[in-house]
Structure formats: C-alpha cells, structure tokens
Amino acid sequence: MRRTCLVVFCLMVFVVINAVVSAAPYDFGGQTVRISGTFPDSSTFGINFEDARGLGHIRDVEEMFNVKIEWVYDDSPYNPQTFIANVLAGDPVADIQLLDRERAFFQIAAEGLLTPLNDILDEEYWENIPRVYQAREHFMFGDKLYGFSLIDVGGWAIFWNKTLWERDGLPDPYELIESGQWTWDTLREIAKAATRDTDGDGIIDQYGISIDESAGAVEQIGALLASNNAAIGKYIDGRVVYTLDEPEAIEAIEFLQTLIHVDKTAIPENMFTFLWGERAMALTHPWWFFYCGDPQWMKDDAGILPYPAGPNGDPGQIYSYSAWNWNWTIPVTTKHDPRALIELYNALYMASYDYVIDDPEERLVNDFARYVNDRRDLEIYRGLISNLRLAPYFNDFFISDYRGFFGDLIFGNKDPKATTASIKSMMQTRFDEIFNNR
C-alpha cells in the first residue's frame, strides 16, 4: 500500500512538473541570459542553487525557456559607477540586474538606464505575485516603475522585552494593537513607566527605549515619518516635492527628540544593550531578532511589534517601513523581451504563484517561528513582511551625509523647523534635477 501511494505521488509530481515545463510562455531560442545579483540560497528563496535540488531546478528552468542562464559576479548591484561604466563601454553586465536601493537604484534610474515597467506589468500580473515580493512603492522612481521584485522583505520594527513588561505590569501590546490603541502616545507612556532607577542609587539604569546610535537615528526617524504618513519628499502633481518641513514630518522629529531629550526615556547606545534585560523596547530591524530569540544572547523572553501609528497614521494596522531593500530590474541595454525576462526570473527564483513550491510568506514565518514562543508574534511578523511601506529618499544620493544630518538633528536636539527649512532649497533643486521636475 505504501509503495502504491509513493508511486502515485511520484506520478503526480512528474505530471505537475511536465505541465509547468510545457506551459512556459516564452522561448529564448537557446540564447544566454545573464543575471547580476545575489546567488540564491535557501533562506531567501527556499532553494539553494548549489545543491543537487537547486542545480536540477536550474536545468529544468533552462529547458522550460530554452535558455542558457549565466550569473555575473561584480559590484554593480551596489556600485552604480561599475554599472554605468560598463554600459558606456558597450559591455552591459546583465539582462536581469539586482540593485541596492540605497546605493545604486536611484543613480542608475536617474541616468535612464533601466526599463520602465508601468505598461509591461498589469494588475493581473501583480495578483499572481506573493505579497512579500510586491512592495511596489520600493520599485518606483518618480512615477516610473523600474523594479519587479525584491529580496529583503524586512523593514523596521520594535522588539520588546516580555519578561520586563510582565515584571513591571506594563500594558499588553497585543491588546493595544488589536484595539487600535498602539499609538505614539501609548508608546510614550509605556516608555515613561519602564524608565526608572531599579537599585535605589539615584541613577537610571532601566530605560523604556534603546536606539542604535551608530546609524544616526536614520532608521527610527524614517519609520516614525512613515508611520505618520510623512516623508522627506512626496510625488505630488507630477513632481517630487520636498516635504520634510511639513507639520506631520515635524511631528515625527519632535516626537523622537522628546523621547530622548525631554522624557529621557530613550537612550542612544549600542544595540546589544537591549539583550542585557534593562530596556523595555529597542527600535531596530526584524532580522536582529536572531539575537533576541537566542538564549545564548538574551536570557529574557522577547517579542516583536510594529511601529505605532502617529497622529496622522493608521491605528490598528501592522506595517513595517524601510528606505532600502534590493530591487530586481531590467537594464535598457538588454536585447531580450523584458516581460520574458521577468517570467524567467519568476520561474528561476519561484517568485510567482505559477512556479512556487512553497509559499514564501509561510516559509519566512516558519523560519521566524524558531525564535518565538507565542503565535501572536508570528502573526505580527506576517503583517510586517507582507505590508512593507516606503520611507523614501533616505540616501546620500539625495541628502549629502544623511546619517550625519539626522544624527545631528535628533541626538543634537536641533530645532526641527529651522533645520528642515535650511535644506529645503537645496533638496528641491536636487529633486528637480534628478526627476526632471516640470
């Protein structure tokens, strides 16, 4: 009986695989397609291209599309000068190109070297893409869509020390999120309640919030801006407009300054301090939970939370926010049909429901499950990776030494209105030049 079931199962798999192979909608005629970017591994795409299964998958896809796949290894994904130099020399690197949004995507898009995809990818296409791969805000440059998938599906989030919260009798954040009360004001009150002198020596040794000082508060202010529907710049009536001086943006800056300098409940420090058990929260990135969920690093129980909603935000919603990530793009120099290249990518990286073996959202949630012991944390994480929103223009390409700028503004407690007004003319000129604003 077991042998019969196994034979039936194998036949079913064979039929499915052959159905997919025969259904490939594009034929590359035996030509080579070059891909420049990260080499897939099991943690990102659910398949390791260096083991037998992965190598077999590559062969299947090559047969499916009648194509030869070649990987290119250079620094073009994060060094725009390499990419641009190759194009000018008549030797474009790849047909499918991965670009670091922070260091390369903007520069290369601004040079007109990426294929616009607005008219190539319709809503029917996006309905077939897993949510964790379709953060379309991150694929935009002005009003043009240049990216079609991403690999870093984590944005900024908050870690909380459950052991400390229970010991100090702090409000249940799961209930606050469920009831729509997870807001800036609530976070501020909790941070106040958690900040105290625990040993009676007159020195505060337990703080409500830990902030990584090495990044110049960029991640924290970026997430707070986005959680209040504010931004450095917004696309308005056909042009990118500087908006860091608008009221909702000033609110975000002042809120973070208040936590640090007025309430003194947030402390800029090395992020590893959170692991020692004397911080109620840390404002950081989901991947950092690798440490929080490991008892060798952190003895206390920890959980994950979304950033709370600001006064102009969306209470009750679970979002993560990021300025960066890695975008997959199609250079204008390719000789192949861009839509065919995207279909090839989706088959190779199993990035659409036509080709996935296991749902990437479920795979990521299951990976995260190793670090938590409460199912509610898994649902919050699911919301974070499935609802990635953009905090745009955090980048040296737009603001010279942006980490220094925001570090001085937040940690130095500079006047938000005066400081943001001081760069308005320069920033608007920069936007006008880059985006050909009318």
Side-chain angles (χ1 to χ4, degrees), residues 253-435:
I253 297 168
E254 290 178 337
F255 178 69
L256 189 53
Q257 288 179 328
T258 297
L259 295 175
I260 298 171
H261 303 288
V262 178
D263 297 346
K264 301 187 185 303
T265 56
I267 180 170
E269 59 188 356
N270 186 301
M271 278 305 302
F272 282 91
T273 308
F274 176 73
L275 305 178
W276 303 344
E278 294 182 332
R279 306 292 183 263
M281 292 171 279
L283 312 186
T284 185
H285 192 287
W287 63 260
W288 212 76
F289 209 86
F290 170 82
Y291 296 107
C292 300
D294 186 341
Q296 293 185 342
W297 287 94
M298 184 172 184
K299 302 301 182 185
D300 289 350
D301 191 14
I304 192 168
L305 299 170
Y307 265 76
N312 197 47
D314 305 307
Q317 300 300 312
I318 296 178
Y319 299 119
S320 63
Y321 309 97
S322 178
W324 306 310
N325 297 297
W326 294 74
N327 293 344
W328 286 101
T329 63
I330 306 297
V332 296
T333 49
T334 183
K335 63 182 179 181
H336 300 294
D337 175 0
R339 184 64 183 84
L341 290 171
I342 292 170
E343 192 70 17
L344 174 65
Y345 165 91
N346 285 338
L348 183 64
Y349 288 82
M350 297 183 293
S352 84
Y353 285 119
D354 288 331
Y355 307 104
V356 294
I357 293 176
D358 57 344
D359 189 293
E361 181 178 313
E362 296 303 320
R363 183 175 68 251
L364 290 165
V365 169
N366 289 336
D367 286 343
F368 185 71
R370 293 178 295 172
Y371 304 113
V372 297
N373 56 21
D374 192 315
R375 181 164 294 278
R376 291 173 295 183
D377 289 316
L378 295 182
E379 292 311 308
I380 288 174
Y381 182 71
R382 183 189 302 279
L384 293 173
I385 63 174
S386 302
N387 298 288
L388 182 64
R389 302 182 71 179
L390 180 64
Y393 315 122
F394 277 88
N395 183 303
D396 276 331
F397 188 55
F398 298 101
I399 302 178
S400 179
D401 186 23
Y402 71 109
R403 295 182 189 276
F405 172 81
F406 284 105
D408 290 344
L409 175 60
I410 301 301
F411 300 146
N413 202 26
K414 291 187 174 180
D415 179 79
K417 293 181 180 179
T419 304
T420 56
S422 70
I423 65 168
K424 181 171 186 173
S425 177
M426 178 272 292
M427 285 295 299
Q428 191 58 62
T429 299
R430 183 70 172 142
F431 284 150
D432 291 343
E433 290 173 348
I434 295 169
F435 295 109

Side-chain angles (χ1 to χ4, degrees), residues 22-69:
S22 63
Y26 297 99
D27 187 331
F28 284 85
Q31 298 183 75
T32 297
V33 168
R34 306 178 79 197
I35 301 174
S36 177
T38 184
F39 196 68
D41 60 46
S42 57
S43 64
T44 303
F45 298 100
I47 187 169
N48 186 337
F49 282 22
E50 294 183 312
D51 62 20
R53 174 174 172 253
L55 292 171
H57 175 67
I58 294 173
R59 289 193 297 269
D60 288 344
V61 172
E62 287 180 326
E63 179 182 349
M64 187 189 310
F65 288 84
N66 189 19
V67 69
K68 176 62 178 175
I69 297 170

Side-chain angles (χ1 to χ4, degrees), residues 218-244:
V218 167
E219 295 183 355
Q220 292 77 23
I221 193 60
L224 289 170
L225 284 169
S227 70
N228 203 37
N229 287 312
I232 293 175
K234 295 181 179 180
Y235 197 77
I236 302 173
D237 296 331
R239 62 195 299 262
V240 178
V241 179
Y242 175 77
T243 56
L244 190 59

